[in-house]
Amino acid sequence: MNSTLYQQIQQFYDSSSGLWEEIWGEHLHHGYYGPDGTLKKERRQAQIDLIEELLNWGLTSNPLTLSQILDVGCGIGGSSLYLADKFQAEVTGITLSPVQAKRATERALEAQLQTKTKFLVADALEMPFEANRFDLVWSLESAEHFPNKIKFLQESYRVLKPGGTLLMATWCHRPLEGNAGQLNDAERRHLAEIYRVYALPYVISLPEYEAIATQIGFNHLQTADWSVSVAPFWNTVINSAFDLRALMGLVLSGWTTIQAALALPLMSRGYETGLIRFGLLQATK
């Protein structure tokens, strides 16, 4: 992975994960607010609901025996611990942030799931695992950080057992086909600002992910756009980022984290205009 980007991502999560956990809890991802995004619910519940909805959507057509799960971009272990507990499976989480890996390991101990989970500092584009190892590769809002989407999907394919499933949700930009056509200058500037503050190399559209996965050899692909279901999340974040405790934490976390907080309306506006999309991909090896 590009070493400067690697350092930016690591620094971003090293500096902000403690604050995020203190104010928000263990899940570093969107919440789910019903198919039309109108359900009123407590934010943490919405985040757990997203995990459950994603599992229901992605695994019902291919019910697996899940004994080995890989969580790519595991954060501080939110999904990993949830999946380990739910499926009584062995879950391996990888992240670029040593701070996150250490905290995830501590949280596994607290949850008495240390025998079922392990957390490593590793690159998703060069995974330190043998081929055909995992029943499920889970990637919840991590692919937007990868500077080579093809390499990530190739690696996911390699480490999956035959018949295993890739289940991912990621930030995308709008599809480029149809009347809308290519991104215009204003849209490119909007995305560039998001990339800068969230340490992202670039995002692609959901149809592009589907085309790459097909080319690599994945079968039984399905995709979905859940932008409407998750968009209310950003206004919740904006509201909670500016209470007194959060503001103090932001100041102490440093400029990178402050910039990310100030940029929250960029995501909110991206959903409103249809530029930012929340894409799901499920595929079988």
Side-chain angles (χ1 to χ4, degrees), residues 68 129-137 155-164 285:
Q68 291 284 340
F129 309 114
E130 70 277 12
N132 308 315
R133 171 163 170 186
F134 296 100
D135 303 295
L136 175 67
V137 171
E155 277 291 88
S156 297
Y157 188 86
R158 182 181 69 79
V159 302
L160 274 170
K161 293 176 184 172
K285 179 170 175 178

Side-chain angles (χ1 to χ4, degrees), residues 3 16-17 30 34 40 45 88 90 97 110 128 130 147 152 179 188 209 216 229 247 260:
S3 61
S16 64
S17 292
H30 281 77
K40 298 281 178 266
Q45 186 59 52
Q88 291 302 297
E90 285 185 28
S97 164
E110 290 161 14
E130 70 277 12
F152 161 61
N179 294 337
R188 279 197 288 270
Y209 274 112
I216 287 168
S229 301
L247 285 170

Side-chain angles (χ1 to χ4, degrees), residues 139 142-146 148-150 152-153 166 168-173 202-216 218 221 223 279-281 283:
S139 169
S142 58
E144 54 269 19
H145 281 297
F146 304 148
N148 188 330
K149 317 301 187 198
I150 296 171
F152 161 61
L153 287 167
L166 166 67
M168 62 182 281
T170 186
W171 304 7
C172 299
H173 63 58
Y202 63 96
V203 299
I204 61 176
S205 69
L206 189 54
E208 287 172 274
Y209 274 112
E210 188 172 9
I212 295 166
T214 304
Q215 208 165 8
I216 287 168
F218 278 104
L221 272 75
T223 60
L280 273 58
L281 173 75

Side-chain angles (χ1 to χ4, degrees), residues 179-249:
N179 294 337
Q182 294 299 306
L183 298 172
N184 61 41
D185 286 347
E187 288 176 319
R188 279 197 288 270
R189 281 195 300 273
H190 191 142
L191 287 172
E193 230 4 59
I194 289 171
Y195 298 162
R196 188 176 66 79
V197 292
Y198 292 113
L200 308 181
Y202 63 96
V203 299
I204 61 176
S205 69
L206 189 54
E208 287 172 274
Y209 274 112
E210 188 172 9
I212 295 166
T214 304
Q215 208 165 8
I216 287 168
F218 278 104
N219 297 307
H220 310 300
L221 272 75
Q222 61 169 342
T223 60
D225 183 327
W226 281 9
S227 306
V228 173
S229 301
V230 304
F233 174 79
W234 287 93
N235 292 327
T236 313
V237 186
I238 289 165
N239 292 339
S240 68
F242 296 105
D243 71 19
L244 190 59
R245 190 162 59 107
L247 285 170
M248 289 301 294

Side-chain angles (χ1 to χ4, degrees), residues 27 29-34 39-57 82 138 140 226 229-230 278 280:
H27 296 293
H29 59 76
H30 281 77
Y32 183 86
Y33 296 88
L39 289 184
K40 298 281 178 266
K41 54 175 86 167
E42 193 270 323
R43 176 191 41 72
R44 204 161 301 191
Q45 186 59 52
Q47 289 178 298
I48 290 166
D49 290 350
L50 181 71
I51 296 175
E52 279 296 328
E53 292 290 337
L54 187 53
L55 289 168
N56 289 339
W57 175 83
Y82 190 90
W138 171 270
L140 181 50
W226 281 9
S229 301
V230 304
F278 191 82
L280 273 58

Side-chain angles (χ1 to χ4, degrees), residues 11-12 15 196-197 249-262:
Q11 188 218 341
F12 181 79
S15 63
R196 188 176 66 79
V197 292
L250 278 172
V251 171
L252 295 170
S253 294
W255 178 236
T256 311
T257 311
I258 292 168
Q259 279 194 102
L262 293 173

